[in-house]
Amino acid sequence: MTAKKNISSKIKFRIGISGFFKGLVILFAFSCVIPLLFILFYIIQAGASKIKWSFLIHDELSDSAGILHAILGSFEIVIFASLISIPIGILCGIFFSENKGSKFTYWSRLAVDILQGVPSVVVGVIAYAWLVRPFHQPSAIAGSIALAIMMLPIIIRSTEETLNLLPDSLREAGYALGLPFHRVVLKVIVPCGISGILSGVMLSIARVAGETAPLLFTAYGCTFLSNDITKPMETLPHLINKFATQGDPKVLDMAWGAALILLFWVLLLNIFTKLITRKWKVQL
Amino acid sequence: MNSSIDNPLITRSENLERVINYNAKSEVSVKTKNSIKRSHRQIKTEVVFRRTLSVIGWLMIALVIGILLTLIWQSMPSIKKYGFSYVWTQVWNPTASVVNPEVFGALPFLFGTLLTSFLALLISIPFSLAVAIFLGEYYPEGWFSNLLMNTVELIASIPSVIYGFWGLAVIIPILGKSIMTSSLILAVMIIPYAASLGRSMIRMVPANLKEAAYSLGSTRYEVIRSVIIPYVKSGLFAGVLLSLGRALGETMAVTMVIGNNNSFPKSIFSTGNTLASMIALELPEATDDTHISALVELGLILFVVTVVINLIGRKIISRYSNV
Amino acid sequence: MESTIIKSVGYNAYFGDNHVVKNVNMEIARNKAIAVMGPSGCGKTTFLRGINRMHELIPGATANGQILLDGEDVLEMHPIFVRLKIGMVFQRPNPFPNLSIYDNVIAGYLLNGIKLPKSEKDIIVEKSLTKVALWNEVKDSLVKKGSFLSGGQQQRLCIARAVAMEPEVLLFDEPTSALDPISTSTVEDLFHELKRNYTLIIVTHNMQQAARVSDLTAFFYMGELVEYDDTKVMFTNPKDTRTQNYITGRFS
């Protein structure tokens, strides 16, 4: 009788432990979300009052100081980075998925893996060494190159993974119709995997849109509207860093406004990525 | 003979000629592959396309080797001047004066980097593990699980500078600038990396293994502890390594809250600097060649450390997916 | 006297060091249906894929010997021309999921970048779909995606896609093995129609199917062409004991 009771109390204890553990897991898992909500809430609260039309259409030097130069600069630098990295990235992803198992692909893929792990500040140092030091001048194009290097591995990986998911029968259907290799790839394989490729592209843009470290000594930043990509250019993240560390309450306010806009933009890109994945998905 | 019987529009050979835009008969009579290649634009494009792809493959290798060589080349002045003592010198003084000569030593920053990162890792592990277990085992499907996963992934998508700014405005007034503060913020930032990898690994645990344990009367906790965790152990480790790689290279958030002190940190509550934050702080304004090359050498160290850690992590993951 | 369209002379195919098709000599006459059968792994599919140079798409796959198409060696031709002259239908229906039914039929033109006037495209689509007995079923839903159709319809769409290019020869790699019995018999009926305009080479696991649809049958075993004869002769009076064993179900 006591032995039986002993066993059942042991089982109860074990069940109790199991329940306790579950509670612990839920507690910890959900407390991850708290800082995120806290940050979102704080930035919206601090930045919302700053978002006015004049804030968005003037640069820093105007009487009613704004951040237009940083918004446009961010756009320009990211667009140039995309122009460089998207074609190279997609073609490289195609190369990996079409040449699985070769020795060369292995080394090249390893290079991309390494590239993915390189800290953003080191990428900045590289662009600095290649394009800023030789010309004795920070330039927007150096910033674009740095961001492009950071975008490459993301685009390559997502392209490769997407294309690897496509069945071989699709390729064979193309070849059997007498299509040459490039048409099989560009007209059959890529259109079928377009959702994955696009979402990789969007993801890479979202990832670099908020990068500051590689721009500190490449695009450097400036105080007025500039369209010359061989000259320094301001970007949103750089502007936030500049204003946030100055300590002047007036510019601190502008930093919150800029932070809200940057956050909004990055979140929008992320949501857009999710939507693309759903909308363009080809039913196989 | 060659014509299609019931296509009134066009004969078979005409159709073929239209499709490939050359006279198959006359061309094949030459019977060499080269002449066919030369004769046809499509095939030329095919060859060009294949070449372009391999060139881009080579480009990736060249890019990485180029990065390494550039870092070494640019830090040569510093390497020549200080040699190995650079790594264990505790003083960083870019402005020479009569009392203090110009000298560069990376030890405080190397230590600062390792300290902030490992501290951040320690703080983040319980959280990322909890997310991984919750989403991998307790609630693997449904909108709720998706919502939590998307939210956690959102943590990774918020720009570093915003974390730093927020830390500056909210955490600093409470805790002050210190290594601990930057580790706290870093910990939040790196949660998603280990969490999402851990979650997909836990999902891959075969159902029959878990069922075997359940059939023996195990509770859910016991199944997690003695079946799931051992099964995905090395995968979880890889996830932790990847988040460590992230933490080591993280720049802006750390730079803004660590206090930027060039001396050797005395405790986790003192101010300090990391490899990345030093570069971010001093390279934009540096003009002296030795100073620049000393900063690039910090980048070289950071590059080597993060690459090694990332490669080990990826190696483990790839071994995982092969099993 | 029938004219020969395909003649295989000492054809060998390899995967790396693995010799999977051994010294095949075979003559195929125009407008006949040839069944190719044999146990799994006997090299019949590899041989079929060798005819239109699909074999070499697999990394490490090589081939030598000759396969003459109207007297021209396909191994000397560029694969693109070979594949335009020799169409292929696969084991599993593989319509292009991103194209409509209409575009799937003219995919060979579309994807090769050949501009056709709309009226001609319409004719090709209708003709091709009629040839595979699919026109009446899909004529009102031509703009829908190909993956919207049932498995049997998809497979007929794939046949239409190959037929639309007006090839000389059509290769079928176990075309009904992924289909239900009703779809299978629809596709089998098609073979009789298609034979009038094309030479058909059909790899099949199914002996009844071989007997039903083919004029001649080739039996492969361990990479060799063991026997090749009139289908009736093959099934009633096989000369080789290995063929006998296979037909009587002694091994499969």
Side-chain angles (χ1 to χ4, degrees):
Chain A
M1 193 63 200
T2 47
K4 207 172 189 183
K5 203 175 177 188
N6 204 0
I7 286 171
S8 85
S9 79
K10 225 174 196 169
I11 290 174
K12 262 188 197 140
F13 178 71
R14 284 169 54 202
I15 292 172
I17 289 278
S18 188
F20 174 73
F21 181 75
K22 186 176 181 180
L24 213 60
V25 163
I26 291 175
L27 182 73
F28 271 83
F30 280 83
S31 48
C32 293
V33 183
I34 294 170
L36 179 77
L37 295 178
F38 204 25
I39 290 172
L40 290 180
F41 177 74
Y42 195 92
I43 286 175
I44 290 170
Q45 195 202 27
S49 64
K50 198 64 209 174
I51 306 297
K52 294 194 194 78
W53 194 236
S54 73
F55 183 63
L56 299 177
I57 58 163
H58 293 103
D59 64 19
E60 220 173 306
L61 293 179
S62 310
D63 296 333
S64 54
I67 56 165
L68 179 67
H69 60 308
I71 296 175
L72 290 182
S74 266
F75 264 112
E76 244 169 89
I77 286 179
V78 168
I79 285 171
F80 267 103
S82 308
L83 287 181
I84 300 164
S85 61
I86 291 173
I88 297 181
I90 292 178
L91 287 175
C92 189
I94 292 171
F95 175 72
F96 288 168
S97 87
E98 293 293 325
N99 294 282
K100 289 179 213 118
S102 88
K103 205 87 197 144
F104 172 35
T105 309
Y106 172 82
W107 288 108
S108 190
R109 194 183 279 124
L110 188 73
V112 174
D113 277 353
I114 291 175
L115 215 52
Q116 188 150 36
V118 178
S120 59
V121 71
V122 175
V123 177
V125 170
I126 292 301
Y128 171 81
W130 285 349
L131 289 158
V132 177
R133 262 192 114 178
F135 299 106
H136 306 289
Q137 154 136 294
S139 62
I141 194 72
S144 292
I145 298 277
L147 295 189
I149 293 176
M150 298 188 63
M151 289 170 76
L152 274 176
I154 306 173
I155 300 177
I156 293 171
R157 289 247 138 222
S158 64
T159 304
E160 187 196 357
E161 276 163 21
T162 308
L163 299 190
N164 280 349
L165 287 180
L166 298 177
D168 270 343
S169 63
L170 219 56
R171 282 182 188 90
E172 295 193 327
Y175 283 121
L177 288 173
L179 300 187
F181 174 68
H182 63 281
R183 282 192 181 274
V184 170
V185 169
L186 299 178
K187 301 264 173 166
V188 178
I189 304 289
V190 170
C192 289
I194 195 71
S195 77
I197 295 173
L198 274 181
S199 78
V201 167
M202 297 293 297
L203 200 68
S204 70
I205 293 176
R207 191 61 56 79
V208 299
E211 275 298 341
T212 318
L215 299 176
L216 284 169
F217 23 85
T218 53
Y220 195 70
C222 72
T223 50
F224 52 87
L225 198 57
S226 156
N227 282 318
D228 189 347
I229 56 164
T230 61
K231 296 267 157 54
M233 201 182 273
E234 189 62 275
T235 55
L236 270 177
H238 184 267
L239 176 128
I240 295 168
N241 180 46
K242 186 171 75 178
F243 285 174
T245 46
Q246 266 174 21
D248 178 356
K250 192 163 175 284
V251 292
L252 207 60
D253 241 22
M254 287 178 68
W256 285 120
L260 180 57
I261 289 173
L262 178 63
L263 193 66
F264 186 67
W265 185 20
V266 169
L267 294 187
L268 209 66
L269 280 171
N270 272 289
I271 293 166
F272 206 56
T273 309
K274 292 246 161 15
L275 289 180
I276 279 184
T277 324
R278 221 169 280 170
K279 162 106 186 164
W280 290 62
K281 185 114 189 118
V282 175
Q283 283 296 320
L284 287 173
Chain B
M1 191 66 203
N2 229 353
S3 65
S4 171
I5 298 149
D6 52 0
N7 189 339
L9 273 170
I10 195 153
T11 65
R12 212 173 246 172
S13 61
E14 273 168 11
N15 189 49
L16 189 64
E17 199 165 315
R18 180 176 60 180
V19 172
I20 59 184
N21 188 24
Y22 100 128
N23 191 327
K25 278 262 151 54
S26 66
E27 198 61 48
V28 172
S29 66
V30 183
K31 274 206 174 173
T32 60
K33 280 179 188 174
N34 286 339
S35 73
I36 293 176
K37 262 180 201 161
R38 254 180 270 123
S39 71
H40 203 286
R41 214 186 68 225
Q42 284 280 20
I43 295 164
K44 253 186 215 159
T45 321
E46 179 174 9
V47 172
V48 170
F49 187 69
R50 275 184 200 279
R51 291 239 173 93
T52 313
L53 289 188
S54 335
V55 166
I56 284 173
W58 280 112
L59 194 70
M60 294 302 135
I61 298 176
L63 190 57
V64 168
I65 293 176
I67 288 176
L68 183 63
L69 290 182
T70 305
L71 288 173
I72 293 173
W73 165 56
Q74 294 268 321
S75 42
M76 229 39 220
S78 161
I79 294 174
K80 270 187 188 147
K81 196 165 173 193
Y82 301 108
F84 270 113
S85 72
Y86 176 86
V87 184
W88 63 68
T89 304
Q90 289 200 22
V91 186
W92 181 278
N93 182 24
T95 48
S97 66
V98 185
V99 208
N100 299 316
E102 185 191 54
V103 69
F104 297 104
L107 189 63
F109 320 125
L110 194 55
F111 183 71
T113 301
L114 296 177
L115 190 61
T116 41
S117 302
F118 277 102
L119 209 55
L121 210 57
L122 274 183
I123 302 169
S124 80
I125 283 176
F127 293 96
S128 44
L129 198 61
V131 173
I133 292 174
F134 184 78
L135 293 176
E137 172 64 18
Y138 286 114
Y139 288 95
E141 251 131 71
W143 65 271
F144 184 72
S145 160
N146 281 334
L147 183 71
L148 184 63
M149 195 60 230
N150 286 335
T151 318
V152 170
E153 274 170 3
L154 219 55
I155 295 175
S157 65
I158 291 183
S160 172
V161 68
I162 288 186
Y163 279 107
F165 190 18
W166 177 76
L168 212 53
V170 180
I171 311 271
I172 296 294
I174 306 166
L175 290 173
K177 289 190 174 183
S178 73
I179 287 179
M180 187 62 200
T181 315
S182 52
S183 293
L184 265 181
I185 292 179
L186 266 183
V188 175
M189 296 174 71
I190 60 176
I191 284 172
Y193 296 95
S196 67
L197 191 66
R199 164 197 181 237
S200 43
M201 295 276 175
I202 289 176
R203 279 185 177 188
M204 274 163 28
V205 176
N208 56 6
L209 271 187
K210 290 189 267 180
E211 279 160 9
Y214 280 125
S215 73
L216 295 173
S218 295
T219 62
R220 198 150 198 188
Y221 164 66
E222 286 157 354
V223 170
I224 291 171
R225 197 197 56 193
S226 48
V227 176
I228 295 177
I229 299 289
Y231 191 88
V232 298
K233 207 171 41 194
S234 60
L236 292 177
F237 180 65
V240 169
L241 276 185
L242 290 190
S243 8
L244 179 63
R246 273 281 137 184
L248 289 170
E250 188 47 65
T251 313
M252 286 327 288
V254 175
T255 311
M256 292 165 91
V257 301
I258 200 169
N260 311 120
N261 181 347
N262 290 2
S263 58
F264 199 86
K266 289 179 188 63
S267 79
I268 55 167
F269 295 106
S270 62
T271 53
N273 247 332
T274 65
L275 296 169
S277 72
M278 274 308 282
I279 301 172
L281 274 176
E282 296 197 352
L283 194 55
E285 311 301 337
T287 46
D288 174 50
D289 272 352
T290 320
H291 187 197
I292 291 177
S293 81
L295 287 166
V296 175
E297 198 178 347
L298 291 180
L300 177 63
I301 296 174
L302 187 59
F303 175 79
V304 172
V305 172
T306 45
V307 163
V308 168
I309 286 181
N310 273 300
L311 284 184
I312 296 172
R314 289 193 182 281
K315 196 91 219 164
I316 295 173
I317 296 171
S318 68
R319 191 178 306 159
Y320 232 84
S321 44
N322 288 342
V323 170
Chain C
M1 183 64 198
E2 295 157 336
S3 70
T4 303
I5 183 158
I6 285 182
K7 185 176 179 186
S8 163
V9 184
Y11 181 79
N12 291 288
Y14 308 82
F15 288 118
D17 297 332
N18 198 3
H19 197 173
V20 284
V21 175
K22 296 169 189 164
N23 192 23
V24 170
N25 295 292
M26 186 173 173
E27 260 185 64
I28 293 167
R30 201 178 290 277
N31 292 1
K32 293 282 181 206
I34 288 48
V36 180
M37 56 178 205
S40 305
C42 67
K44 57 190 189 303
T45 292
T46 309
F47 174 67
L48 189 80
R49 291 167 61 93
I51 296 176
N52 71 341
R53 304 278 301 270
M54 297 291 284
H55 169 65
E56 67 205 56
L57 290 175
I58 298 160
T62 51
N64 60 43
Q66 278 186 319
I67 290 179
L68 302 171
L69 171 67
D70 277 336
E72 301 157 15
D73 186 358
V74 299
L75 274 80
E76 294 283 319
M77 291 164 74
H78 194 280
I80 290 173
F81 308 132
V82 180
R83 291 170 197 153
L84 287 169
K85 287 185 167 190
I86 306 178
M88 186 163 196
V89 176
F90 297 84
Q91 194 166 359
R92 295 191 167 275
N94 54 0
F96 296 112
N98 55 330
L99 299 184
S100 66
I101 293 174
Y102 185 96
D103 286 347
N104 255 295
V105 177
I106 52 164
Y109 300 91
L110 206 65
L111 301 178
N112 264 312
I114 298 147
K115 302 265 183 300
L116 297 178
K118 175 88 173 82
S119 57
E120 203 183 327
K121 284 198 275 191
D122 287 344
I123 292 173
I124 293 175
V125 169
E126 183 172 349
K127 277 248 171 294
S128 309
L129 286 174
T130 312
K131 278 185 193 167
V132 299
L134 196 58
W135 175 249
N136 286 326
E137 291 166 55
V138 301
K139 66 178 176 212
D140 299 320
S141 48
L142 289 172
V143 291
K144 286 190 179 160
K145 294 271 182 272
S147 43
F148 153 86
L149 299 172
S150 74
Q153 288 173 321
Q154 281 187 22
Q155 190 64 304
R156 277 182 281 155
L157 179 60
C158 292
I159 299 174
R161 182 176 69 191
V163 164
M165 296 303 286
E166 286 298 334
E168 308 266 353
V169 181
L170 281 171
L171 308 178
F172 293 85
D173 182 7
E174 299 184 32
T176 60
S177 65
L179 304 183
D180 62 79
I182 293 172
S183 305
T184 300
S185 82
T186 323
V187 171
E188 281 181 8
D189 291 342
L190 279 181
F191 290 145
H192 297 291
E193 290 300 310
L194 292 173
K195 211 162 63 176
R196 291 185 12 230
N197 296 324
Y198 311 94
T199 310
L200 312 179
I201 306 178
I202 306 151
V203 162
T204 178
H205 255 317
N206 182 331
M207 271 180 275
Q208 288 75 30
Q209 185 172 61
R212 279 195 297 270
V213 301
S214 67
D215 305 312
L216 290 105
T217 298
F219 174 66
F220 275 69
Y221 186 66
M222 308 276 282
E224 285 174 52
L225 175 61
V226 172
E227 198 165 347
Y228 175 48
D229 210 333
D230 200 83
T231 299
K232 280 204 193 85
V233 178
M234 277 285 266
F235 280 95
T236 51
N237 189 18
K239 292 176 188 67
D240 196 289
T241 48
R242 289 170 291 184
T243 318
Q244 271 170 16
N245 288 342
Y246 183 71
I247 285 167
T248 50
R250 228 124 333 130
F251 55 78
S252 65

